[in-house]
Amino acid sequence: MTTVKNIYDYINSVAPFNTQEEWDNAGFLIGDFRKEVKKAVLCLDATKNTARFAADIHADLILSHHPVIFKGIKSAVKGSAVYTCIENDIAVISAHTNFDIAQCGINHNLAKRLHLNNISSLENSFIAVGELDCEMSMDDFAQYVSDTLNVSGLRYTDSEKTIKRVAVGGGACEEYADVALKNADCFITGDMKYHDMLECAENGYAVISAGHYETEHDSFIMFMENLKKVFPDVAFVSANQKNPVLAV
């Protein structure tokens, strides 16, 4: 029998919760550690629709990347994600910044999705780096990233750099741009503000802003394969979330 605590302990062994950022709220957030888990839902965001989906398929656990309870909540009203999970006895574990930096986590998985070689982590940062099979121009590499990650509306700087070594930081990792660009020809992140990209462009830096969902969703769902091997008695299901931010 697999319990919520068993799954929590496994995640803690590969992506220790004590490595999360101080402002984060990753961990065991809703439910009973002792509850048996026969079916679990993986998702990027534990939204009210995800909670409803989990209830409809009689799931015992939601494993999300972004915490279902992040900032302090003042109420849990009917129809909300928290209320629905409690009402249907669904436990929730969220693995956020601790999973970003894990060897099996978001940034290493993002590098794998881009088929980078010799992947490693930069010390004291969220950034993973790797190398392309062959050099590319910035325009060609941006198109490659767009096609590989299925990105609509990808933004990138107009750089003359030739791209071989790539740094990645899924989601909101723009604060690590300096260290990333000291160690790579190009930096890919999910969200980068216009003026930060403008500054990078003026300095000749190669930067790609590929979208928060696009860099993180599939990179988190990849963890399902690890979980299936460790807990063969549990049915792990993707919530099949769609990107809530549309682009043409």
Side-chain angles (χ1 to χ4, degrees), residues 1 27 29 31 36 40 43 49 55 59 77 92-93 122 129 176 200 208 211 228 237:
M1 181 181 82
L29 302 182
E36 181 179 5
C43 61
N49 287 336
V77 298
V92 180
I93 298 172
L122 293 182
V129 295
Y176 297 101
C200 287
I208 295 176
K228 286 180 176 178
V237 180

Side-chain angles (χ1 to χ4, degrees), residues 1-72:
M1 181 181 82
T2 296
T3 65
V4 173
K5 181 68 160 56
N6 295 146
I7 294 176
Y8 174 91
D9 286 343
Y10 170 66
I11 297 171
N12 194 44
S13 72
V14 297
F17 286 101
N18 64 7
T19 64
Q20 68 181 285
E21 294 290 282
E22 291 184 1
W23 48 262
D24 200 5
N25 193 40
F28 172 58
L29 302 182
I30 295 175
D32 183 348
F33 255 157
R34 300 165 296 178
K35 180 179 176 62
E36 181 179 5
V37 180
K38 295 182 178 179
K39 186 179 293 184
V41 173
L42 270 70
C43 61
L44 181 63
D45 299 291
T47 63
K48 60 183 180 182
N49 287 336
T50 303
R52 188 70 261 161
F53 169 76
D56 289 344
I57 66 170
H58 306 291
D60 306 293
L61 171 69
I62 291 175
L63 176 56
S64 71
H65 180 48
H66 297 137
V68 65
I69 301 172
F70 193 45
K71 298 180 180 179

Side-chain angles (χ1 to χ4, degrees), residues 4 26 55 58 69 125-126 133 135 160 168 188 247:
V4 173
H58 306 291
I69 301 172
S125 81
F126 279 75
D133 287 331
E135 294 181 345
E160 298 299 321
V168 300
I188 302 172

Side-chain angles (χ1 to χ4, degrees), residues 135-150:
E135 294 181 345
M136 294 186 187
S137 69
M138 186 57 175
D139 288 340
D140 288 345
F141 182 57
Q143 187 62 58
Y144 170 79
V145 172
S146 179
D147 293 342
T148 304
L149 302 184
N150 193 27

Side-chain angles (χ1 to χ4, degrees), residues 71-138:
K71 298 180 180 179
I73 59 173
K74 296 183 178 180
S75 63
V77 298
K78 188 174 181 64
S80 67
V82 172
Y83 186 100
T84 299
C85 288
I86 295 172
E87 183 181 39
N88 291 277
D89 193 21
I90 300 169
V92 180
I93 298 172
S94 298
H96 192 208
T97 53
N98 60 306
F99 192 72
D100 284 328
I101 62 176
Q103 295 294 307
C104 59
I106 290 290
N107 294 326
H108 274 249
N109 287 345
L110 176 57
K112 291 176 182 177
R113 291 171 62 199
L114 291 166
H115 308 292
L116 302 183
N117 305 310
N118 305 318
I119 301 167
S120 62
S121 298
L122 293 182
E123 188 175 357
N124 298 322
S125 81
F126 279 75
I127 306 304
V129 295
E131 296 179 349
L132 293 166
D133 287 331
C134 57
E135 294 181 345
M136 294 186 187
S137 69
M138 186 57 175

Side-chain angles (χ1 to χ4, degrees), residues 138 157-163 181 184-186 197-207:
M138 186 57 175
T157 57
D158 183 15
S159 173
E160 298 299 321
K161 276 186 172 291
T162 299
I163 312 304
L181 291 164
D185 304 312
C186 181
M197 291 195 74
L198 177 61
E199 182 177 351
C200 287
E202 290 188 327
N203 285 297
Y205 297 145
V207 171

